[in-house]
Amino acid sequence: MSLLDKFRHKRLEAEVDFENIPKHVAIIMDGNGRWAKRRSLPRKSGHAMGAKTFEVISECAGELGIKVVTFYAFSTENWKRDKDEVESLMALLEDYLDNGLKKLKNRAQIRFIGDMSAFSESFREKQRYVEEATKNNSGFLINVALNYGSRDEITRAVRSIAADAAAGRLAPEDVTEELISSRLDTGGLPDPDLIIRPSGEFRLSNFLMWQGAYAELWFDKILWPDFTRDDLLRAVADYQRRNRRFGGR
Ligand code: FPP
């Protein structure tokens, strides 16, 4: 770190109120492809750098005292990409399932959201093993969204409610916002306070649309592989400067 970077880092740290850290931060890891293109590298190199950033930022989130951090790693739409790219993403995810636990310095719990039925049985077995092996870690929670899309998640939740209604286990008036929330993949978790999207896009792209109804949104043009601890601090400091009213006055 250069002297100027150290100075900037100290100044940022001083800006953050450590008594008012958002409980749940959700991140859309975008810009890997453009990062690679700018360096004339294949897209998979961008994803590999993105996976490194994912590890650094999950660790940093724990150190900051964020209780839940959700990363958008693979969307329901990402299957439409070239076979090579999908395979390279699957290889990175599988590597994380195989080796991620060893790197966990901060005793985090790891969970996955999304429709896992699309993955191979061996992939799902590894995913279940990681969830099981970390389920008693109380430091904080790393939530990884795989084959995830909000519309798909809401559809699955509504289907399960409809099945209960058809079987006579639920009456129409039992269907409340709380019930719907509890049937989502994030059931039991607090809603995100802050959603971060780097890479200069200003969209939520089917990410936590129900849960993010009142989330503060933070956009920046930085590409995900370049995203640093200081960028997370910047986003948290900006979040803390905002006045959250949840529809009230
Ligand atoms: C979007 O960038 C990013 C993705 C579709 C994949 C994100 C996945 C990772 C960072 C790897 C995750 C790994 C682990 C271990 C969780 P893009 O390809 O759309 O970028 P572009 O818009 O610049 O083309």
Side-chain angles (χ1 to χ4, degrees):
M1 215 190 242
S2 73
L3 208 58
L4 187 62
D5 283 343
K6 266 191 195 145
F7 172 72
R8 283 199 188 111
H9 175 73
K10 282 274 158 240
R11 208 175 52 182
L12 257 171
E13 253 184 359
E15 271 180 45
V16 172
D17 172 3
F18 286 87
E19 301 301 313
N20 178 28
I21 295 292
K23 275 197 192 67
H24 183 173
V25 175
I27 305 180
I28 302 176
M29 303 187 283
D30 196 14
N32 299 343
R34 275 162 286 171
W35 183 92
K37 192 165 180 214
R38 282 181 197 170
R39 288 162 181 78
S40 306
L41 293 168
R43 294 179 62 82
K44 67 176 181 191
S45 305
H47 294 314
M49 274 308 287
K52 289 209 170 86
T53 305
F54 158 80
E55 285 182 20
V56 171
I57 298 303
S58 32
E59 200 180 302
C60 177
E63 287 164 10
L64 265 180
I66 294 168
K67 288 291 167 213
V68 183
V69 56
T70 299
F71 292 93
Y72 205 1
F74 196 87
S75 76
T76 45
E77 285 73 37
N78 285 153
W79 299 106
K80 292 185 209 136
R81 296 193 175 198
D82 281 358
K83 191 166 163 272
D84 266 11
E85 187 175 351
V86 171
E87 277 173 11
S88 67
L89 279 167
M90 288 303 137
L92 282 170
L93 293 166
E94 200 144 356
D95 181 64
Y96 181 64
L97 293 177
D98 290 334
N99 302 308
L101 287 185
K102 290 179 218 140
K103 297 181 195 158
L104 274 186
K105 296 187 195 112
N106 37 28
R107 310 287 304 150
Q109 191 183 345
I110 301 178
R111 273 202 234 159
F112 298 87
I113 58 170
D115 180 2
M116 296 299 154
S117 68
F119 296 98
S120 69
E121 191 42 46
S122 79
F123 188 97
R124 291 174 73 186
E125 214 166 280
K126 288 178 188 185
Q127 169 246 324
R128 282 193 292 263
Y129 170 76
V130 167
E131 285 186 333
E132 190 58 31
T134 59
K135 74 170 189 222
N136 294 322
N137 290 351
S138 54
F140 75 113
L141 172 68
I142 299 171
N143 222 2
V144 184
L146 291 185
N147 191 30
Y148 177 87
S150 273
R151 289 182 175 185
D152 175 69
E153 177 192 39
I154 293 169
T155 306
R156 286 185 283 109
V158 170
R159 244 182 233 152
S160 89
I161 291 171
D164 279 350
R169 289 187 292 268
L170 276 179
E173 56 276 17
D174 295 329
V175 182
T176 58
E177 290 189 11
E178 289 72 26
L179 179 76
I180 295 172
S181 291
S182 73
R183 297 284 177 115
L184 298 175
D185 299 343
T186 48
L189 298 179
D191 285 339
D193 303 295
L194 170 64
I195 299 180
I196 293 176
R197 180 167 198 163
S199 97
E201 309 288 351
F202 299 94
R203 291 187 291 278
L204 285 181
S205 297
N206 208 9
F207 185 49
L208 303 178
M209 302 292 286
W210 172 281
Q211 300 89 329
Y214 288 102
E216 293 295 331
L217 308 179
W218 192 85
F219 300 104
D220 194 86
K221 66 181 188 320
I222 190 164
L223 304 177
W224 176 248
D226 291 326
F227 196 95
T228 63
R229 290 164 178 266
D230 279 2
D231 294 311
L232 183 62
L233 287 180
R234 238 170 7 103
V236 168
D238 280 351
Y239 159 86
Q240 290 173 337
R241 279 190 283 268
R242 298 185 193 173
N243 177 11
R244 304 186 77 202
R245 292 193 301 273
F246 298 96
R249 293 206 49 84

